[in-house]
Amino acid sequence: AATGFSEGRQPQGGTSAAHAAKSASVNAHFAALDPDAIAVATNVADEAAKAAQRRDERLAAGPPLASPVVHDLDAFRAKIAARTSKYAAHADKCRRKREVVQHSVKLDWLREGKTRSEFSDFEQKWREELESAQREAHAEATAAAAAAEAEEAEVDADADAAGGGRGDGEGGTAPA
């Protein structure tokens, strides 16, 4: 066993019993280790390090490139035709249901002993009320859109002022 220090130096205070006991304890600890378990632990550590390196390389490479898409115009046309026919069938179904309901209401009206002219007047009042509600809703939607547009313009103006007045929100000087 090696004792002492390199270059002929001596330990400070000489060799003590405590130092000898500590050395014996460390030697006993290493003697009790299982070499197969240590080998397996180093293999696991190596695999973990390799996996971390692969992950770092993958993250450094960025997201994978999108695969090229082949545009098939015939398939696109067929898809649009299918959607169009589906919408047309739905619209036709809704129109037929509306006609059936209108006819049922008119029949109920007549069964109650009221005349067609009374039904026409009643229907006209409801249609006028519906059109009025639609006009109001359209006016409200238009006003809301105008307010949102004005607010967006104000935000853009604030961004332009904060960005140096370039006019495109990027700051700097405007191109000539």
Side-chain angles (χ1 to χ4, degrees):
T3 59
F5 293 100
S6 65
E7 301 172 359
R9 294 182 293 143
Q10 294 297 321
Q12 296 177 352
T15 310
S16 67
H19 179 67
K22 186 174 182 181
S23 293
S25 170
V26 169
N27 289 339
H29 175 70
F30 279 114
L33 293 177
D34 180 20
D36 293 332
I38 292 173
V40 169
T42 57
N43 289 342
V44 169
D46 288 342
E47 289 299 319
K50 288 177 185 175
Q53 287 174 341
R54 287 192 302 267
R55 184 190 70 236
D56 289 343
E57 290 171 358
R58 187 180 68 243
L59 292 175
L65 298 175
S67 61
V69 177
V70 177
H71 296 287
D72 184 8
L73 294 179
D74 291 332
F76 178 73
R77 184 178 299 123
K79 184 174 154 182
I80 296 302
R83 284 186 182 173
T84 302
S85 65
K86 184 177 178 181
Y87 174 76
H90 177 72
D92 188 47
K93 181 179 174 183
C94 290
R95 182 187 49 77
R96 281 186 274 130
K97 281 185 177 181
R98 189 174 47 248
E99 289 173 354
V100 167
V101 168
Q102 287 174 346
H103 185 70
S104 296
V105 168
K106 192 170 188 176
L107 284 177
D108 288 343
W109 181 274
L110 295 173
R111 284 181 185 145
E112 291 177 5
K114 299 178 183 174
T115 65
R116 283 183 199 233
S117 61
E118 290 175 329
F119 181 78
S120 297
D121 293 341
F122 175 76
E123 182 182 25
Q124 183 62 29
K125 289 176 189 176
W126 278 106
R127 289 195 187 277
E128 289 172 1
E129 186 174 333
L130 174 65
E131 290 171 1
S132 172
Q134 287 175 339
R135 281 192 300 271
E136 289 175 10
H138 180 69
E140 289 176 7
T142 304
E149 188 175 312
E151 183 177 325
E152 183 178 323
E154 182 179 316
V155 168
D156 287 345
D158 291 344
D160 289 344
R166 181 170 173 177
D168 62 0
E170 295 297 323
T173 59

